[in-house]
Amino acid sequence: MAQPIPQNYMAYDRTIVVFSPDGRLLQVEYARQMVKNGSTSIGIRLKDGVILGAMKGHMPLAVEDSHKKIWEIDDSVAAVSAGSLADARSLIDMARVKAQVNMITYGEPISISSITKYISDRKHLVTQYAGVRPYGVGLLIGGTDKTGPRLFETEPSGTMIEWKAQAIGRGADRAKKVLNTSHKDGMDLKAGVQLLVKAMKAGEKTVRLDNIDAVFVKKGLFEKVTLKATKK
Amino acid sequence: MAQPIPQNYMAYDRTIVVFSPDGRLLQVEYARQMVKNGSTSIGIRLKDGVILGAMKGHMPLAVEDSHKKIWEIDDSVAAVSAGSLADARSLIDMARVKAQVNMITYGEPISISSITKYISDRKHLVTQYAGVRPYGVGLLIGGTDKTGPRLFETEPSGTMIEWKAQAIGRGADRAKKVLNTSHKDGMDLKAGVQLLVKAMKAGEKTVRLDNIDAVFVKKGLFEKVTLKATKK
Amino acid sequence: MAQPIPQNYMAYDRTIVVFSPDGRLLQVEYARQMVKNGSTSIGIRLKDGVILGAMKGHMPLAVEDSHKKIWEIDDSVAAVSAGSLADARSLIDMARVKAQVNMITYGEPISISSITKYISDRKHLVTQYAGVRPYGVGLLIGGTDKTGPRLFETEPSGTMIEWKAQAIGRGADRAKKVLNTSHKDGMDLKAGVQLLVKAMKAGEKTVRLDNIDAVFVKKGLFEKVTLKATKK
Amino acid sequence: MAQPIPQNYMAYDRTIVVFSPDGRLLQVEYARQMVKNGSTSIGIRLKDGVILGAMKGHMPLAVEDSHKKIWEIDDSVAAVSAGSLADARSLIDMARVKAQVNMITYGEPISISSITKYISDRKHLVTQYAGVRPYGVGLLIGGTDKTGPRLFETEPSGTMIEWKAQAIGRGADRAKKVLNTSHKDGMDLKAGVQLLVKAMKAGEKTVRLDNIDAVFVKKGLFEKVTLKATKK
Amino acid sequence: MAQPIPQNYMAYDRTIVVFSPDGRLLQVEYARQMVKNGSTSIGIRLKDGVILGAMKGHMPLAVEDSHKKIWEIDDSVAAVSAGSLADARSLIDMARVKAQVNMITYGEPISISSITKYISDRKHLVTQYAGVRPYGVGLLIGGTDKTGPRLFETEPSGTMIEWKAQAIGRGADRAKKVLNTSHKDGMDLKAGVQLLVKAMKAGEKTVRLDNIDAVFVKKGLFEKVTLKATKK
Amino acid sequence: MAQPIPQNYMAYDRTIVVFSPDGRLLQVEYARQMVKNGSTSIGIRLKDGVILGAMKGHMPLAVEDSHKKIWEIDDSVAAVSAGSLADARSLIDMARVKAQVNMITYGEPISISSITKYISDRKHLVTQYAGVRPYGVGLLIGGTDKTGPRLFETEPSGTMIEWKAQAIGRGADRAKKVLNTSHKDGMDLKAGVQLLVKAMKAGEKTVRLDNIDAVFVKKGLFEKVTLKATKK
Amino acid sequence: MAQPIPQNYMAYDRTIVVFSPDGRLLQVEYARQMVKNGSTSIGIRLKDGVILGAMKGHMPLAVEDSHKKIWEIDDSVAAVSAGSLADARSLIDMARVKAQVNMITYGEPISISSITKYISDRKHLVTQYAGVRPYGVGLLIGGTDKTGPRLFETEPSGTMIEWKAQAIGRGADRAKKVLNTSHKDGMDLKAGVQLLVKAMKAGEKTVRLDNIDAVFVKKGLFEKVTLKATKK
């Protein structure tokens, strides 16, 4: 939490989402803090698609893929999460159904912005009504649709922003510095992978190549990216 | 918050919207504070239409337009917001549907005052019932209908007021001084742009021309305004 | 609030409307306080109709009529409010629909007492059930029906009283002294305007003629009153 | 409140109606206190009907009858209230509808005891369920039905008692002493009026004859009683 | 309340019925205390029926029978209450409807145990769900059915017990000592009346014969018992 | 309560069932304490059926059987309770209806495990949802079905366990020591009665034979057991 | 609870699931603590199926199998629980119905991952909505479907992870060390049993072979495993 909370503000964050005297919605800020507690996740828009990357947890006996933070939504859309895995799974499930219904109803894939708006609307709704809590998860949603490669972020308040490249989670600030400095429009996959690794290493100090999951999503393709040692 | 809140008033602002002993609805006042925390937004009624202006956030990798505070509602109506972007998006979505339903039902565009009243009714409703919080966003809604150019403000209590020119957000008080002094009825677009820039510079000390988004809305036209250096 | 509230009564006014040990409904009293915080509004029953008056706010760029406190309900009924503008607008909307439904159903205008009772019932309802707050607005409802000119007051508890002349808002006590002293049955419009101005000047120390809005409502007529300097 | 409430009992009277450790329903007792805060109202059963009396408020510009505490329910039944006027109006409205439905359904007037039971059931209901507060009003309901003249009292708990004569409100204790001493079975109207005035003067120290409203209700008759100076 | 409540237990009795750490339902215990605050009521099973007795309140102008604590349910079943008169009236009304429905549906009177179980189920229900409070009334339900004379007690928890003789209310402990000592199976009405008076005098120190209401209920008979001075 | 509750845990047990920081559901533990406050009840599985025993209360004028803690569910199933009699009665009523519905639907008696599961499901439900409290009663449910004699326990959390012999209530720990030591598989009724008495005497120090209720339940038989002095 | 909770955080864990300022859902963490309070349970994926193991409680008179922590879901799927037995039973019941519905609808067994997702969705739901508490139970769900042997874990947040081998409950950390060191892919049943015993002994210091319940689940087979002394 960037902004400190005065001692006697505790009353404003206990039940449903209400305003504090300085005009903040504290429950939403705390949910954002859960996102910041998660490991770093990164998305980069490339020439032909979007690359998404996340940290692998260190769980030797876990079956790989069963706990990763990268989620396929449709064959041209994926998401990477930071924060609550259970909240992510729940939102992704809704998004998958939405995408399939769109395909069946209109005979074409849903646009990346529509699927993001759908998730953001859900996130916003639970910040306004009593009896339900905000989602404690941030998502970078990337893919390719008729308009080309697109990358969006949704955060717990329900705000959605489109990015050329973005990082979320505990190392986001450090990783974004790398992205700001090194991102170029129209990068190819190789350059994108190098940037992803560089940004991830900035965000997560001790990360090694084999601790990074990465996927490349373009029109009709959701493909795991093999990370090989790159010379810096 | 202009009026200070005595120490022992904390009990009156915690749950649903209730009155404090001096007859104030504190949750509504706090939601207004969220509006005041937002960056400055300005609307000016001109001879042929309305000009709306807002600050651009400084996010180099963000795709422009994806996070701006100016929203198209219909081809003759737009809004500029201060405060919660997510609350703004939710209200604008409702307004867009309302405008389209009106067009389909009556074969003509909805009036600016009707669309403003629709949003204000929604804002008022959530200040009266438990289980939902007030909207933390102010909107300046401008456009042109059969009655000519119109500019309205809605704020968190659900009050709506029509203005010749108005500013909301953190620099509103300073910007309104400029508007009060320099606004003239029947200004043309060029004069309106100059006034907008002058008022925005009063409200936001360090603003530069390329940090200001502006649109001009007239009958059937929603058009981005290019701001060029103007000699003062 | 005339009656002081002991320190340890705070517990009785926090959630839904409940009784305090001395038999008061504090939330209703606080809503009344919001009425008393508003600027002074006055209604006077005359020979042929009712005159209603209110203060104009000082907002140079606001479009006049967009924020006034006098509301037309039907062509023979109007109201002047003190307190929350948003609550007033919501109640007046309900009253307008009620009046139109009456006209369509019975082919004649609704009586002033019926429309007042309709608003008062709504005000009372929200003082008795949880999940909704009292209305923070007082209304003087005046007009002419088959029984002649009538003037009613509704306040936040849902009580309704008929008056020959009445003032509400922050200057009500001082204005009522003038009304008590100078009101006569069967005054004509000119005498009514003079009394209105005199009472308003008692209630609002610094008021000038051009800060007063006034309307005259009689059978089928809702007409703005132009106030000119009158010799006292 | 006859019984004092220990300091640490405050917790038992805040939300819905719950029991205190000594077996009292404090919210109901506080509602009774609102009845005791009201001005004195009196009912007396006479040979041919029932006389009901109440204080007039001192409001010179109020239209008489618009704020009185005596309510006609049906042409043979009326009520006088002490406590919340708004709560009284709401209950009387329910009773009027009930009486009319009875007349339409069975072709005969509802009995005084049935209409009282109907109001008492409603009063009891709101002392048992959450989400609604008790009624802060006492009613003396009098009239004449097939069984002769009847006079009932309902109070906030929902208890109903039939009386030969009874007083409620702030002067009830003093007025009841007069009633106990001077009431005789089978009094005629003249004697009833004298007793009413005597009891009212005991209850309200400074009352004058022209501050007392009184009605006489008998079979098919609801008639205002003119009070003239009587020699004591 | 026999068992004292530790100072810091207050938290367990405030809202809905919840358990205290020592396994008690305090709201139910407080409702029982309301029963104990009521005047003494007594029931005795005799050879041919059941006798029920209660104190008359001292209200000279009240119409007798309108506030008594003995209630006829059906022509062979009655009840005597201690505690809240309004709660008693509400439960008795339910029981009367239940009894009539049974008569119409099966062509025979409902059994005393069934009508008691019906009331007890209702009492239990409100101790388990939120949003409603326990009933603050105890009932002794007596009458004669196909199985002979029966006498039951229901108390606020919803427990029902059948008795040969039982007392409830503020003098219950003292009255029960008399009943335990002097009750015999198969007493006739005369002996029953004597025992009732003796037990009532033990429970209520200053009672006189004309302050006691008593009824005798047997098959098809609900009859007021005239108490005459009996030689002890 | 075996485990002590730290002073500052009080917050975790007040409203609906929530977890305390050490992973306990305190409202469920307090409901268990109500079971432990009840008198001792015992069940023993024998060769041909199940014997259930409980303490009789000392209430000389109570009609025997009207307040006992042993409940017949169906002609081959019974239960003995410890804790709230009213909660027991409510659960047993549900079980009786369930058993009858099973008989009518399938033409055969419900199994002991099914009826126990039905009660346990109900008990669990009220520990998970707001607006209702846990049941403060433990039940030993015994009988004989197609699988032979069975004895189950349900406690307030909704856990169900099958036993050869079990004791619940205030003397449960002492009684279980006797059961653990002396129970043998395949005991006949005589041996079972002896064990029941021995265990009950261990649990309830001052018990006499005539204070113990006992029933023997086997296929189609629910029979009261007469306890005679047995030589130890 | 690994992470300590600051003194003044108590406010964040009392009612529905809300966020604490550092972005944690405390009620979910406390439910996890209930899992950690349970005895150790272990699951291991083998070549042909999955072995699940749990501690037996020490209850000499309890009927074995009636309180064990291993649950059959379908003939090819089982689960072992740690934490609340009642919560486990409730979730397993839902899973059984789900499995049967799948079989009837599609004519083939439900996959292990689908049944796990179904339980996890339910677990997640109750962490997001008010009026219901999280489940205080962890489950290891194992079995064999068309994809071969699978082993999943669900925990109170609704997160699901697939494992080769996993331990939950109070000894989980110690047992997982053994599993991490000694687990090999493609173990046969004999090796699996040896690993299970070794890990269980690490988790539960004083465990003996006859205190361990174990089952082996493969395609169409749910079979109890007899543990014999194995030489280490």
Side-chain angles (χ1 to χ4, degrees), chain B residues 11 25 32 44 52-53 59 66 95 104 121 124 146 191 204 223 231:
Chain B
L25 292 167
R32 263 185 211 133
I44 304 171
L52 302 175
M59 297 189 285
S66 83
I104 288 163
D121 285 350
H124 178 258
K146 284 190 295 190
E204 301 275 342
E223 150 179 274
K231 296 117 221 164

PDB file of all heavy atoms in Angstrom, chain B residues 11 25 32 44 52-53 59 66 95 104 121 124 146 191 204 223 231:
ATOM      1  N   ALA B  11     -18.901   7.188  14.008  1.00  0.00           N
ATOM      2  CA  ALA B  11     -19.940   6.164  13.996  1.00  0.00           C
ATOM      3  C   ALA B  11     -20.942   6.358  12.867  1.00  0.00           C
ATOM      4  O   ALA B  11     -21.623   5.431  12.473  1.00  0.00           O
ATOM      5  CB  ALA B  11     -20.676   6.179  15.333  1.00  0.00           C
ATOM      6  N   LEU B  25     -24.963  13.511   5.113  1.00  0.00           N
ATOM      7  CA  LEU B  25     -24.826  12.113   4.717  1.00  0.00           C
ATOM      8  C   LEU B  25     -23.347  11.877   4.434  1.00  0.00           C
ATOM      9  O   LEU B  25     -22.852  12.152   3.338  1.00  0.00           O
ATOM     10  CB  LEU B  25     -25.682  11.834   3.482  1.00  0.00           C
ATOM     11  CG  LEU B  25     -27.192  11.900   3.703  1.00  0.00           C
ATOM     12  CD1 LEU B  25     -27.934  11.937   2.386  1.00  0.00           C
ATOM     13  CD2 LEU B  25     -27.660  10.709   4.533  1.00  0.00           C
ATOM     14  N   ARG B  32     -17.840  12.217  -2.676  1.00  0.00           N
ATOM     15  CA  ARG B  32     -17.476  13.485  -3.315  1.00  0.00           C
ATOM     16  C   ARG B  32     -15.974  13.739  -3.184  1.00  0.00           C
ATOM     17  O   ARG B  32     -15.351  14.292  -4.085  1.00  0.00           O
ATOM     18  CB  ARG B  32     -18.222  14.632  -2.634  1.00  0.00           C
ATOM     19  CG  ARG B  32     -19.481  15.050  -3.340  1.00  0.00           C
ATOM     20  CD  ARG B  32     -20.079  16.275  -2.658  1.00  0.00           C
ATOM     21  NE  ARG B  32     -21.522  16.227  -2.818  1.00  0.00           N
ATOM     22  CZ  ARG B  32     -22.389  16.429  -1.851  1.00  0.00           C
ATOM     23  NH1 ARG B  32     -21.981  16.695  -0.618  1.00  0.00           N
ATOM     24  NH2 ARG B  32     -23.675  16.362  -2.105  1.00  0.00           N
ATOM     25  N   ILE B  44     -17.047  23.104 -21.314  1.00  0.00           N
ATOM     26  CA  ILE B  44     -17.443  24.475 -21.677  1.00  0.00           C
ATOM     27  C   ILE B  44     -18.471  24.423 -22.799  1.00  0.00           C
ATOM     28  O   ILE B  44     -18.255  23.741 -23.809  1.00  0.00           O
ATOM     29  CB  ILE B  44     -16.219  25.306 -22.130  1.00  0.00           C
ATOM     30  CG1 ILE B  44     -15.133  25.303 -21.040  1.00  0.00           C
ATOM     31  CG2 ILE B  44     -16.634  26.738 -22.468  1.00  0.00           C
ATOM     32  CD1 ILE B  44     -13.808  25.902 -21.489  1.00  0.00           C
ATOM     33  N   LEU B  52     -15.054  19.303 -24.059  1.00  0.00           N
ATOM     34  CA  LEU B  52     -14.746  18.618 -22.806  1.00  0.00           C
ATOM     35  C   LEU B  52     -13.256  18.340 -22.754  1.00  0.00           C
ATOM     36  O   LEU B  52     -12.662  17.906 -23.758  1.00  0.00           O
ATOM     37  CB  LEU B  52     -15.496  17.289 -22.718  1.00  0.00           C
ATOM     38  CG  LEU B  52     -17.030  17.346 -22.803  1.00  0.00           C
ATOM     39  CD1 LEU B  52     -17.600  15.925 -22.830  1.00  0.00           C
ATOM     40  CD2 LEU B  52     -17.620  18.125 -21.640  1.00  0.00           C
ATOM     41  N   GLY B  53     -12.619  18.545 -21.602  1.00  0.00           N
ATOM     42  CA  GLY B  53     -11.186  18.322 -21.502  1.00  0.00           C
ATOM     43  C   GLY B  53     -10.811  17.610 -20.222  1.00  0.00           C
ATOM     44  O   GLY B  53     -11.477  17.746 -19.205  1.00  0.00           O
ATOM     45  N   MET B  59       1.513   7.344 -18.598  1.00  0.00           N
ATOM     46  CA  MET B  59       1.803   5.919 -18.642  1.00  0.00           C
ATOM     47  C   MET B  59       2.324   5.581 -20.019  1.00  0.00           C
ATOM     48  O   MET B  59       1.553   5.270 -20.932  1.00  0.00           O
ATOM     49  CB  MET B  59       0.520   5.129 -18.336  1.00  0.00           C
ATOM     50  CG  MET B  59      -0.005   5.411 -16.917  1.00  0.00           C
ATOM     51  SD  MET B  59      -1.340   4.308 -16.435  1.00  0.00           S
ATOM     52  CE  MET B  59      -2.668   5.000 -17.404  1.00  0.00           C
ATOM     53  N   SER B  66      -7.157   4.052 -24.027  1.00  0.00           N
ATOM     54  CA  SER B  66      -7.679   2.945 -23.229  1.00  0.00           C
ATOM     55  C   SER B  66      -7.935   3.370 -21.793  1.00  0.00           C
ATOM     56  O   SER B  66      -8.586   2.662 -21.056  1.00  0.00           O
ATOM     57  CB  SER B  66      -6.722   1.757 -23.262  1.00  0.00           C
ATOM     58  OG  SER B  66      -5.688   1.916 -22.319  1.00  0.00           O
ATOM     59  N   ALA B  95     -25.637   4.459 -19.553  1.00  0.00           N
ATOM     60  CA  ALA B  95     -26.116   5.593 -20.344  1.00  0.00           C
ATOM     61  C   ALA B  95     -26.131   5.249 -21.835  1.00  0.00           C
ATOM     62  O   ALA B  95     -27.048   5.634 -22.574  1.00  0.00           O
ATOM     63  CB  ALA B  95     -25.234   6.811 -20.090  1.00  0.00           C
ATOM     64  N   ILE B 104     -33.918   3.670 -30.703  1.00  0.00           N
ATOM     65  CA  ILE B 104     -34.693   2.587 -31.312  1.00  0.00           C
ATOM     66  C   ILE B 104     -36.181   2.807 -31.062  1.00  0.00           C
ATOM     67  O   ILE B 104     -37.018   2.596 -31.932  1.00  0.00           O
ATOM     68  CB  ILE B 104     -34.227   1.227 -30.752  1.00  0.00           C
ATOM     69  CG1 ILE B 104     -32.848   0.894 -31.310  1.00  0.00           C
ATOM     70  CG2 ILE B 104     -35.229   0.132 -31.083  1.00  0.00           C
ATOM     71  CD1 ILE B 104     -32.124  -0.168 -30.537  1.00  0.00           C
ATOM     72  N   ASP B 121     -30.479   9.788 -11.425  1.00  0.00           N
ATOM     73  CA  ASP B 121     -31.420   8.941 -10.693  1.00  0.00           C
ATOM     74  C   ASP B 121     -30.710   7.715 -10.124  1.00  0.00           C
ATOM     75  O   ASP B 121     -30.924   7.319  -8.987  1.00  0.00           O
ATOM     76  CB  ASP B 121     -32.563   8.493 -11.620  1.00  0.00           C
ATOM     77  CG  ASP B 121     -33.555   9.612 -11.878  1.00  0.00           C
ATOM     78  OD1 ASP B 121     -33.472  10.655 -11.200  1.00  0.00           O
ATOM     79  OD2 ASP B 121     -34.402   9.447 -12.764  1.00  0.00           O
ATOM     80  N   HIS B 124     -28.580   8.764  -7.219  1.00  0.00           N
ATOM     81  CA  HIS B 124     -29.367   9.049  -6.017  1.00  0.00           C
ATOM     82  C   HIS B 124     -29.842   7.767  -5.344  1.00  0.00           C
ATOM     83  O   HIS B 124     -29.802   7.629  -4.121  1.00  0.00           O
ATOM     84  CB  HIS B 124     -30.583   9.914  -6.372  1.00  0.00           C
ATOM     85  CG  HIS B 124     -31.455  10.204  -5.191  1.00  0.00           C
ATOM     86  ND1 HIS B 124     -32.637   9.549  -4.962  1.00  0.00           N
ATOM     87  CD2 HIS B 124     -31.286  11.033  -4.141  1.00  0.00           C
ATOM     88  CE1 HIS B 124     -33.167   9.980  -3.842  1.00  0.00           C
ATOM     89  NE2 HIS B 124     -32.382  10.880  -3.323  1.00  0.00           N
ATOM     90  N   LYS B 146     -31.877  18.860 -29.764  1.00  0.00           N
ATOM     91  CA  LYS B 146     -32.785  19.786 -30.442  1.00  0.00           C
ATOM     92  C   LYS B 146     -32.801  21.178 -29.811  1.00  0.00           C
ATOM     93  O   LYS B 146     -33.160  22.160 -30.453  1.00  0.00           O
ATOM     94  CB  LYS B 146     -34.207  19.201 -30.417  1.00  0.00           C
ATOM     95  CG  LYS B 146     -34.385  18.082 -31.420  1.00  0.00           C
ATOM     96  CD  LYS B 146     -35.837  17.678 -31.549  1.00  0.00           C
ATOM     97  CE  LYS B 146     -36.332  17.083 -30.227  1.00  0.00           C
ATOM     98  NZ  LYS B 146     -37.661  16.453 -30.375  1.00  0.00           N
ATOM     99  N   ALA B 191     -11.916  29.959 -29.389  1.00  0.00           N
ATOM    100  CA  ALA B 191     -11.936  30.636 -28.092  1.00  0.00           C
ATOM    101  C   ALA B 191     -12.153  29.634 -26.962  1.00  0.00           C
ATOM    102  O   ALA B 191     -11.570  29.732 -25.883  1.00  0.00           O
ATOM    103  CB  ALA B 191     -13.039  31.687 -28.084  1.00  0.00           C
ATOM    104  N   GLU B 204      -4.280  22.487 -12.892  1.00  0.00           N
ATOM    105  CA  GLU B 204      -3.176  21.513 -12.794  1.00  0.00           C
ATOM    106  C   GLU B 204      -1.871  22.249 -13.084  1.00  0.00           C
ATOM    107  O   GLU B 204      -1.531  22.506 -14.243  1.00  0.00           O
ATOM    108  CB  GLU B 204      -3.388  20.392 -13.816  1.00  0.00           C
ATOM    109  CG  GLU B 204      -4.690  19.626 -13.645  1.00  0.00           C
ATOM    110  CD  GLU B 204      -4.552  18.500 -12.621  1.00  0.00           C
ATOM    111  OE1 GLU B 204      -3.403  18.107 -12.326  1.00  0.00           O
ATOM    112  OE2 GLU B 204      -5.591  18.039 -12.117  1.00  0.00           O
ATOM    113  N   GLU B 223     -15.568  14.692 -31.850  1.00  0.00           N
ATOM    114  CA  GLU B 223     -14.300  14.857 -32.562  1.00  0.00           C
ATOM    115  C   GLU B 223     -13.197  15.277 -31.613  1.00  0.00           C
ATOM    116  O   GLU B 223     -13.380  16.149 -30.761  1.00  0.00           O
ATOM    117  CB  GLU B 223     -14.540  15.918 -33.651  1.00  0.00           C
ATOM    118  CG  GLU B 223     -13.387  16.754 -34.049  1.00  0.00           C
ATOM    119  CD  GLU B 223     -13.839  17.712 -35.149  1.00  0.00           C
ATOM    120  OE1 GLU B 223     -13.807  17.296 -36.321  1.00  0.00           O
ATOM    121  OE2 GLU B 223     -14.258  18.848 -34.828  1.00  0.00           O
ATOM    122  N   LYS B 231      -0.868  31.549 -28.012  1.00  0.00           N
ATOM    123  CA  LYS B 231      -0.197  32.663 -27.305  1.00  0.00           C
ATOM    124  C   LYS B 231      -1.178  33.252 -26.308  1.00  0.00           C
ATOM    125  O   LYS B 231      -2.307  33.554 -26.678  1.00  0.00           O
ATOM    126  CB  LYS B 231       0.224  33.774 -28.301  1.00  0.00           C
ATOM    127  CG  LYS B 231       1.246  33.304 -29.303  1.00  0.00           C
ATOM    128  CD  LYS B 231       0.666  33.377 -30.710  1.00  0.00           C
ATOM    129  CE  LYS B 231       1.061  32.168 -31.520  1.00  0.00           C
ATOM    130  NZ  LYS B 231       0.265  31.968 -32.730  1.00  0.00           N
TER     131      LYS B 231
END
